[in-house]
Amino acid sequence: MTAEDVARAAREASNMLQTVSSAQKSLVLRRIKEVLVERRAAIVEANQQDKAAAQIEVDAGRLSSALFKRLDIEGAGGEKYTTLLQGVDDVDRIPDPIGQVTMARRLDSDLDLYRVVCPVGVCLVIFEARPEVVVNIACLAIKSGNAAILKGGKEATRTNQALADAIQHAIATTPRQEGVQFPERAVQVVSTRDEINSLLDMDRYVDLVIPRGSNSLVR
């Protein structure tokens, strides 16, 4: 898919998310956790491949040791992966924010003003190193009714893709609710700088860009 295909699919997914219920979001989140458990070995293997390639860069002085440490998705004894899974449960337990009234004010006779929480739409999130961010942001996007396009650090490309594949499979295999299918393209991953450069110019599809990382990344 081209960058424009990804952006267009995200916009379509964002529109479809307007019809998704809180119960369906919860089903998807629980299914994501199930698939992450089922695919743990494959995801860890992808992560080991990323770390092996990154170690070569560290030895050559092209990658910092601190960045290398952030690549690990399993942790000692697997506690980091367990924390990742717990994070999915934590998001699932958050009350659905969509539709909540956060302010109400009477301006005049028969004229009331309400501030109601609604989704942003399509969020492009760019982050460094930590592959678990794919799951963190995907789950928060699903809970808040937003479509997400994710771009992680190139050092974690295999891990990021394995996690994204697991999430998309979980979405695709979640049963319909009241005839509504959760959009499979609600979460997508891109991997190149050229794709990001193209997406940054697609404000007709992308509503919000979030850089998450160092000052150099933000600049």
Side-chain angles (χ1 to χ4, degrees), residues 126-139:
I126 308 165
F127 56 94
E128 294 177 312
R130 300 182 186 274
E132 64 269 23
V133 172
V134 171
V135 178
N136 301 156
I137 296 177
C139 291

Side-chain angles (χ1 to χ4, degrees), residues 18 20-23 25-26 29 90-103 115-120 139-146:
Q18 309 309 308
V20 169
S21 67
S22 297
K25 293 176 187 178
S26 186
L29 290 171
D90 292 342
V91 173
D92 187 24
R93 283 193 291 268
I94 298 172
D96 191 338
I98 302 306
Q100 291 187 11
V101 177
T102 61
M103 184 195 74
R115 183 172 64 199
V116 183
V117 178
C118 64
V120 172
C139 291
L140 288 170
I142 288 168
K143 189 72 177 189
S144 59
N146 292 294

